[in-house]
Amino acid sequence: MTMDASDDPRLSALLPRLRRFARSLAGDGADDIVQAALERALRRWDSRRDDTALQAWLFAIVYRQFVTEHRRARRWQRVLELFGAEPAELAPSPERIHEGQSVLAAFARLPPDHRALLLLVSVEGFSYREAADMLGLPMGTVMSRLSRARERLRTLTDEDAPAARTLRVLK
């Protein structure tokens, strides 16, 4: 009976070291890198030159996989920046996430006509005239409802704000 590459005990023995190496390079993405590297190694198992150099061969594949993933991430970051996305370093903090959730909860409590106007004008970027035409309302009505909707949203989020201020950071 022939032994499959995935049954090789040397491969299993190297896994913790490969993961540690990948973690030092990539942090949280280490498991994905090791998995992709092992898939690549298993596909090319017959192409390795020397059984004694298995460790060096696997570490080299992990490193090349990290470089590939890093380059891919940089390319995607450039694409995202072209479309105005936030860089990963500016990811929202837990406080900003809570604040966003509070605004969404307050938004849900607004009457439907206020939500519609806020969405059309503030989110979708339509002009007051375009929103008035879409909803079949006079321009003055759109302006006054939009003003009341913004004020009501401000009031609702301010009511939720004291609860957010009382949160304490526990260590």
Side-chain angles (χ1 to χ4, degrees):
M1 184 167 111
T2 59
M3 188 165 84
D4 186 65
S6 60
D7 294 330
D8 192 325
R10 296 172 302 164
L11 187 62
S12 298
L14 284 172
L15 282 177
R17 293 181 62 207
L18 292 170
R19 289 184 71 223
R20 198 170 29 248
F21 178 61
R23 199 172 301 118
S24 71
L25 295 171
D28 291 338
D31 289 333
D32 293 335
I33 289 172
V34 171
Q35 180 177 346
L38 288 175
E39 288 173 5
R40 182 183 286 182
L42 291 174
R43 278 194 310 271
R44 295 182 176 90
W45 191 256
D46 295 330
S47 69
R48 69 189 192 290
R49 292 187 206 135
D50 184 4
D51 270 349
T52 60
L54 178 64
Q55 177 177 304
W57 184 65
L58 289 171
F59 273 81
I61 293 173
V62 168
Y63 179 73
R64 285 194 303 272
Q65 185 66 36
F66 162 72
V67 170
T68 300
E69 295 291 328
H70 184 68
R71 286 180 182 153
R72 182 177 295 136
R74 283 197 341 227
R75 280 194 303 268
W76 273 110
Q77 189 60 42
R78 285 194 299 266
V79 169
L80 291 174
E81 287 170 2
L82 286 173
F83 290 99
E86 286 185 353
E89 303 86 52
L90 299 178
S93 65
E95 293 82 15
R96 290 190 65 204
I97 291 171
H98 176 73
E99 181 180 311
Q101 290 170 338
S102 296
V103 170
L104 288 174
F107 182 80
R109 291 169 43 197
L110 292 174
D113 58 333
H114 287 182
R115 287 195 312 261
L117 279 171
L118 282 171
L119 284 171
L120 290 173
V121 174
S122 300
V123 177
E124 296 298 330
F126 289 108
S127 68
Y128 290 2
R129 170 58 50 208
E130 291 168 322
D133 291 343
M134 281 184 230
L135 298 176
L137 297 170
M139 178 81 128
T141 303
V142 166
M143 293 171 64
S144 64
R145 282 187 188 171
L146 195 54
S147 176
R148 285 194 305 271
R150 287 178 175 150
E151 184 57 38
R152 180 72 181 138
L153 185 61
R154 216 174 282 117
T155 302
L156 289 171
T157 54
D158 286 346
E159 288 172 5
D160 292 340
R165 281 188 225 118
T166 61
L167 294 176
R168 288 181 281 158
V169 177
L170 300 176
K171 294 182 182 185

